[in-house]
Amino acid sequence: MSIDVFTFRIVLKDKPFNRHGVLYVVASIYDPLGYLSPVTLIAKILLQEMCQRKLSWDEEMSADELLHHFANASQTGYGVVSYLHVIGVNRKIHCNLIIGRARVAPLKRTTIPRLELTAAAIAAQMDSKLKTELDLKLAPSVFWTDSTSVLKYLRNALVKYQTFVDNRVNLIRDTYDIMACRYINTSVNPADLASRGLSICYFLQSSLLFSGPDFLKKDETHWPTMP
């Protein structure tokens, strides 16, 4: 059985983060019917903000941009989701999903804290990769977990852990400032969705997964604190 579908093939070249670069990206997307309007609108808003700031065509825009990584694990799997958090003109905040990973828990039983720590280590690896791949000037990243055990592992520098834990703790410490590793309640942790799985219906309707928790759209004073 054959079906009719619309597809888009977009090849983006590395461009500077200025009006020339953003305009090139917008103009390179051929979408006469406007199917990609919700996506291209973000780039057009950014271009508009550059114009409002009266930046020259070759002047790069400086915005506060940082990566937020969320990690979580369950008995069935563990997952990580990463977001780019941009504070633009007039402190307007944009937050969008960049990449996600979900893996099935190993058949050999292991503890939830160890799975949580494994997810946290994957988040650290993703952070390093994204910083290499993204052609952006990024502020220090923030790591979020709903596991107080993971946070205790990271903040306890006096204990010598077993090899499994020690390797992952050192990987995370080498990636993040420990004070940038923060607690989030499971109910608003988008990585919880990645670790447990979603039906396609809920997936398509999940604003939490695609845009991140609502607190990221507010000032840092509204972010969750340690319990």
Side-chain angles (χ1 to χ4, degrees):
M1 176 180 172
S2 62
I3 57 174
D4 293 326
V5 295
F6 286 98
T7 60
F8 294 87
R9 184 176 183 272
I10 302 171
V11 180
L12 297 179
K13 299 179 180 179
D14 290 335
K15 291 294 178 181
F17 192 36
N18 54 29
R19 288 174 66 183
H20 270 306
V22 176
L23 182 60
Y24 174 89
V25 171
V26 174
S28 66
I29 300 175
Y30 182 68
D31 178 30
L33 298 180
Y35 289 159
L36 295 182
S37 295
V39 178
T40 57
L41 180 63
I42 301 299
K44 292 176 181 178
I45 291 174
L46 188 58
L47 185 62
Q48 185 182 63
E49 290 181 356
M50 289 177 165
C51 295
Q52 288 176 336
R53 293 179 61 175
K54 298 181 180 180
L55 298 180
S56 67
W57 283 98
D58 297 314
E59 183 179 357
E60 292 202 8
M61 182 177 182
S62 60
D64 297 326
E65 300 167 311
L66 35 84
L67 285 170
H68 286 266
H69 304 278
F70 295 81
N72 190 62
S74 67
Q75 288 287 2
T76 55
Y78 51 97
V80 176
V81 286
S82 301
Y83 299 84
L84 183 63
H85 183 268
V86 180
I87 304 176
V89 179
N90 299 324
R91 310 304 294 175
K92 187 174 182 179
I93 297 174
H94 305 277
C95 186
N96 290 286
L97 176 68
I98 295 293
I99 194 172
R101 287 285 183 272
R103 297 180 180 175
V104 177
L107 289 174
K108 184 179 179 180
R109 282 286 185 179
T110 188
T111 63
I112 292 294
R114 283 195 167 200
L115 287 175
E116 296 273 14
L117 189 60
T118 300
I122 293 174
Q125 293 171 332
M126 287 174 61
D127 179 79
S128 299
K129 184 173 183 179
L130 286 171
K131 284 179 177 176
T132 301
E133 297 295 332
L134 291 175
D135 187 21
L136 296 172
K137 296 177 182 178
L138 296 169
S141 301
V142 182
F143 166 71
W144 297 89
T145 178
D146 54 21
S147 171
T148 54
S149 296
V150 169
L151 293 175
K152 288 176 181 177
Y153 281 141
L154 298 176
R155 295 182 180 184
N156 193 337
L158 301 178
V159 176
K160 177 64 177 178
Y161 299 115
Q162 294 179 343
T163 303
F164 180 95
V165 174
D166 192 59
N167 289 343
R168 287 157 179 78
V169 167
N170 288 333
L171 172 63
I172 298 166
R173 285 175 177 168
D174 290 342
T175 305
Y176 302 110
D177 177 352
I178 298 304
M179 299 311 296
C181 299
R182 305 177 65 137
Y183 174 81
I184 183 174
N185 190 280
T186 304
S187 63
V188 291
N189 185 356
D192 184 62
L193 306 177
S195 70
R196 300 178 188 277
L198 279 177
S199 69
I200 187 63
C201 180
Y202 284 107
F203 171 76
L204 294 175
Q205 297 175 359
S206 177
S207 60
L208 174 61
L209 183 62
F210 289 106
S211 301
D214 287 339
F215 66 78
L216 285 185
K217 302 175 182 66
K218 301 177 183 178
D219 185 82
E220 189 173 344
T221 56
H222 295 88
W223 293 4
T225 56
M226 279 291 290

